[in-house]
PDB file of all heavy atoms in Angstrom:
ATOM      1  N   ALA Q 760     -41.746 -39.705  37.133  1.00  0.00           N
ATOM      2  CA  ALA Q 760     -41.320 -39.274  38.466  1.00  0.00           C
ATOM      3  C   ALA Q 760     -40.569 -40.302  39.194  1.00  0.00           C
ATOM      4  O   ALA Q 760     -39.514 -40.011  39.805  1.00  0.00           O
ATOM      5  CB  ALA Q 760     -42.568 -38.878  39.335  1.00  0.00           C
ATOM      6  N   LEU Q 761     -41.018 -41.547  39.076  1.00  0.00           N
ATOM      7  CA  LEU Q 761     -40.302 -42.637  39.752  1.00  0.00           C
ATOM      8  C   LEU Q 761     -38.852 -42.762  39.220  1.00  0.00           C
ATOM      9  O   LEU Q 761     -37.934 -43.033  39.944  1.00  0.00           O
ATOM     10  CB  LEU Q 761     -41.045 -43.962  39.549  1.00  0.00           C
ATOM     11  CG  LEU Q 761     -42.403 -44.025  40.311  1.00  0.00           C
ATOM     12  CD1 LEU Q 761     -43.118 -45.358  39.965  1.00  0.00           C
ATOM     13  CD2 LEU Q 761     -42.223 -43.895  41.786  1.00  0.00           C
ATOM     14  N   ARG Q 762     -38.745 -42.569  37.877  1.00  0.00           N
ATOM     15  CA  ARG Q 762     -37.391 -42.660  37.289  1.00  0.00           C
ATOM     16  C   ARG Q 762     -36.494 -41.565  37.814  1.00  0.00           C
ATOM     17  O   ARG Q 762     -35.353 -41.790  38.102  1.00  0.00           O
ATOM     18  CB  ARG Q 762     -37.535 -42.551  35.759  1.00  0.00           C
ATOM     19  CG  ARG Q 762     -37.463 -43.904  35.061  1.00  0.00           C
ATOM     20  CD  ARG Q 762     -36.978 -43.858  33.661  1.00  0.00           C
ATOM     21  NE  ARG Q 762     -36.965 -42.563  33.060  1.00  0.00           N
ATOM     22  CZ  ARG Q 762     -37.706 -42.201  32.005  1.00  0.00           C
ATOM     23  NH1 ARG Q 762     -38.584 -43.049  31.498  1.00  0.00           N
ATOM     24  NH2 ARG Q 762     -37.623 -40.997  31.470  1.00  0.00           N
ATOM     25  N   LEU Q 763     -37.059 -40.347  37.903  1.00  0.00           N
ATOM     26  CA  LEU Q 763     -36.270 -39.235  38.407  1.00  0.00           C
ATOM     27  C   LEU Q 763     -35.821 -39.468  39.862  1.00  0.00           C
ATOM     28  O   LEU Q 763     -34.687 -39.291  40.253  1.00  0.00           O
ATOM     29  CB  LEU Q 763     -37.087 -37.925  38.327  1.00  0.00           C
ATOM     30  CG  LEU Q 763     -37.381 -37.395  36.927  1.00  0.00           C
ATOM     31  CD1 LEU Q 763     -38.383 -36.275  37.004  1.00  0.00           C
ATOM     32  CD2 LEU Q 763     -36.147 -36.874  36.272  1.00  0.00           C
ATOM     33  N   ILE Q 764     -36.777 -39.937  40.605  1.00  0.00           N
ATOM     34  CA  ILE Q 764     -36.492 -40.202  42.062  1.00  0.00           C
ATOM     35  C   ILE Q 764     -35.463 -41.324  42.157  1.00  0.00           C
ATOM     36  O   ILE Q 764     -34.510 -41.259  42.999  1.00  0.00           O
ATOM     37  CB  ILE Q 764     -37.829 -40.545  42.807  1.00  0.00           C
ATOM     38  CG1 ILE Q 764     -38.634 -39.266  42.942  1.00  0.00           C
ATOM     39  CG2 ILE Q 764     -37.551 -41.165  44.171  1.00  0.00           C
ATOM     40  CD1 ILE Q 764     -39.992 -39.452  43.562  1.00  0.00           C
ATOM     41  N   ASP Q 765     -35.603 -42.360  41.377  1.00  0.00           N
ATOM     42  CA  ASP Q 765     -34.638 -43.442  41.341  1.00  0.00           C
ATOM     43  C   ASP Q 765     -33.224 -42.965  41.049  1.00  0.00           C
ATOM     44  O   ASP Q 765     -32.278 -43.363  41.703  1.00  0.00           O
ATOM     45  CB  ASP Q 765     -34.988 -44.415  40.205  1.00  0.00           C
ATOM     46  CG  ASP Q 765     -35.573 -45.698  40.716  1.00  0.00           C
ATOM     47  OD1 ASP Q 765     -35.695 -45.774  41.974  1.00  0.00           O
ATOM     48  OD2 ASP Q 765     -35.961 -46.529  39.924  1.00  0.00           O
ATOM     49  N   SER Q 766     -33.127 -42.122  39.995  1.00  0.00           N
ATOM     50  CA  SER Q 766     -31.790 -41.611  39.594  1.00  0.00           C
ATOM     51  C   SER Q 766     -31.160 -40.860  40.721  1.00  0.00           C
ATOM     52  O   SER Q 766     -29.958 -40.965  41.024  1.00  0.00           O
ATOM     53  CB  SER Q 766     -31.886 -40.640  38.403  1.00  0.00           C
ATOM     54  OG  SER Q 766     -32.615 -41.205  37.365  1.00  0.00           O
ATOM     55  N   LEU Q 767     -32.003 -40.082  41.409  1.00  0.00           N
ATOM     56  CA  LEU Q 767     -31.460 -39.263  42.495  1.00  0.00           C
ATOM     57  C   LEU Q 767     -30.952 -40.144  43.634  1.00  0.00           C
ATOM     58  O   LEU Q 767     -29.891 -39.952  44.200  1.00  0.00           O
ATOM     59  CB  LEU Q 767     -32.487 -38.263  42.988  1.00  0.00           C
ATOM     60  CG  LEU Q 767     -31.974 -37.294  44.020  1.00  0.00           C
ATOM     61  CD1 LEU Q 767     -31.069 -36.274  43.343  1.00  0.00           C
ATOM     62  CD2 LEU Q 767     -33.100 -36.581  44.694  1.00  0.00           C
ATOM     63  N   PHE Q 768     -31.770 -41.189  43.913  1.00  0.00           N
ATOM     64  CA  PHE Q 768     -31.408 -42.089  45.018  1.00  0.00           C
ATOM     65  C   PHE Q 768     -30.125 -42.810  44.683  1.00  0.00           C
ATOM     66  O   PHE Q 768     -29.233 -42.987  45.529  1.00  0.00           O
ATOM     67  CB  PHE Q 768     -32.563 -43.049  45.280  1.00  0.00           C
ATOM     68  CG  PHE Q 768     -32.398 -43.837  46.527  1.00  0.00           C
ATOM     69  CD1 PHE Q 768     -32.498 -43.247  47.805  1.00  0.00           C
ATOM     70  CD2 PHE Q 768     -32.058 -45.166  46.458  1.00  0.00           C
ATOM     71  CE1 PHE Q 768     -32.272 -43.998  48.950  1.00  0.00           C
ATOM     72  CE2 PHE Q 768     -31.887 -45.944  47.611  1.00  0.00           C
ATOM     73  CZ  PHE Q 768     -31.989 -45.360  48.849  1.00  0.00           C
ATOM     74  N   ASP Q 769     -30.011 -43.264  43.440  1.00  0.00           N
ATOM     75  CA  ASP Q 769     -28.803 -43.935  43.014  1.00  0.00           C
ATOM     76  C   ASP Q 769     -27.566 -43.057  43.159  1.00  0.00           C
ATOM     77  O   ASP Q 769     -26.519 -43.522  43.631  1.00  0.00           O
ATOM     78  CB  ASP Q 769     -28.882 -44.295  41.526  1.00  0.00           C
ATOM     79  CG  ASP Q 769     -29.671 -45.613  41.358  1.00  0.00           C
ATOM     80  OD1 ASP Q 769     -29.994 -46.267  42.363  1.00  0.00           O
ATOM     81  OD2 ASP Q 769     -29.980 -45.937  40.203  1.00  0.00           O
ATOM     82  N   CYS Q 800     -38.860 -33.229  48.778  1.00  0.00           N
ATOM     83  CA  CYS Q 800     -38.590 -34.557  48.198  1.00  0.00           C
ATOM     84  C   CYS Q 800     -37.058 -34.843  48.159  1.00  0.00           C
ATOM     85  O   CYS Q 800     -36.646 -35.904  48.573  1.00  0.00           O
ATOM     86  CB  CYS Q 800     -39.189 -34.582  46.795  1.00  0.00           C
ATOM     87  SG  CYS Q 800     -38.691 -36.054  45.853  1.00  0.00           S
ATOM     88  N   LEU Q 804     -35.205 -37.674  50.342  1.00  0.00           N
ATOM     89  CA  LEU Q 804     -34.420 -38.793  49.803  1.00  0.00           C
ATOM     90  C   LEU Q 804     -33.017 -38.840  50.369  1.00  0.00           C
ATOM     91  O   LEU Q 804     -32.528 -39.933  50.687  1.00  0.00           O
ATOM     92  CB  LEU Q 804     -34.343 -38.635  48.258  1.00  0.00           C
ATOM     93  CG  LEU Q 804     -35.608 -39.031  47.514  1.00  0.00           C
ATOM     94  CD1 LEU Q 804     -35.438 -38.671  46.031  1.00  0.00           C
ATOM     95  CD2 LEU Q 804     -35.860 -40.539  47.653  1.00  0.00           C
ATOM     96  N   ALA Q 817     -37.484 -45.996  49.898  1.00  0.00           N
ATOM     97  CA  ALA Q 817     -37.053 -44.605  49.665  1.00  0.00           C
ATOM     98  C   ALA Q 817     -37.785 -43.983  48.478  1.00  0.00           C
ATOM     99  O   ALA Q 817     -38.228 -42.790  48.514  1.00  0.00           O
ATOM    100  CB  ALA Q 817     -35.565 -44.529  49.457  1.00  0.00           C
ATOM    101  N   GLN Q 818     -37.917 -44.767  47.428  1.00  0.00           N
ATOM    102  CA  GLN Q 818     -38.635 -44.243  46.249  1.00  0.00           C
ATOM    103  C   GLN Q 818     -40.053 -43.897  46.574  1.00  0.00           C
ATOM    104  O   GLN Q 818     -40.557 -42.828  46.179  1.00  0.00           O
ATOM    105  CB  GLN Q 818     -38.649 -45.358  45.147  1.00  0.00           C
ATOM    106  CG  GLN Q 818     -39.076 -44.908  43.849  1.00  0.00           C
ATOM    107  CD  GLN Q 818     -39.273 -46.049  42.876  1.00  0.00           C
ATOM    108  OE1 GLN Q 818     -39.963 -47.011  43.156  1.00  0.00           O
ATOM    109  NE2 GLN Q 818     -38.591 -46.007  41.725  1.00  0.00           N
ATOM    110  N   GLY Q 821     -40.149 -40.820  48.561  1.00  0.00           N
ATOM    111  CA  GLY Q 821     -39.863 -39.659  47.699  1.00  0.00           C
ATOM    112  C   GLY Q 821     -41.130 -39.184  47.021  1.00  0.00           C
ATOM    113  O   GLY Q 821     -41.426 -37.958  46.853  1.00  0.00           O
ATOM    114  N   VAL Q 822     -41.947 -40.122  46.520  1.00  0.00           N
ATOM    115  CA  VAL Q 822     -43.191 -39.751  45.857  1.00  0.00           C
ATOM    116  C   VAL Q 822     -44.113 -39.037  46.822  1.00  0.00           C
ATOM    117  O   VAL Q 822     -44.682 -37.982  46.497  1.00  0.00           O
ATOM    118  CB  VAL Q 822     -43.916 -41.061  45.274  1.00  0.00           C
ATOM    119  CG1 VAL Q 822     -45.269 -40.694  44.763  1.00  0.00           C
ATOM    120  CG2 VAL Q 822     -43.050 -41.651  44.197  1.00  0.00           C
ATOM    121  N   MET Q 825     -42.965 -35.577  47.499  1.00  0.00           N
ATOM    122  CA  MET Q 825     -43.226 -34.637  46.361  1.00  0.00           C
ATOM    123  C   MET Q 825     -44.673 -34.248  46.302  1.00  0.00           C
ATOM    124  O   MET Q 825     -44.996 -33.161  45.887  1.00  0.00           O
ATOM    125  CB  MET Q 825     -42.809 -35.409  45.085  1.00  0.00           C
ATOM    126  CG  MET Q 825     -42.796 -34.545  43.878  1.00  0.00           C
ATOM    127  SD  MET Q 825     -41.291 -34.669  43.023  1.00  0.00           S
ATOM    128  CE  MET Q 825     -41.482 -36.200  42.135  1.00  0.00           C
TER     129      MET Q 825
END
Side-chain angles (χ1 to χ4, degrees):
L761 292 176
R762 259 203 349 243
L763 291 169
I764 286 174
D765 253 359
S766 308
L767 188 71
F768 189 72
D769 278 351
C800 170
L804 282 171
Q818 188 190 57
V822 171
M825 187 128 80

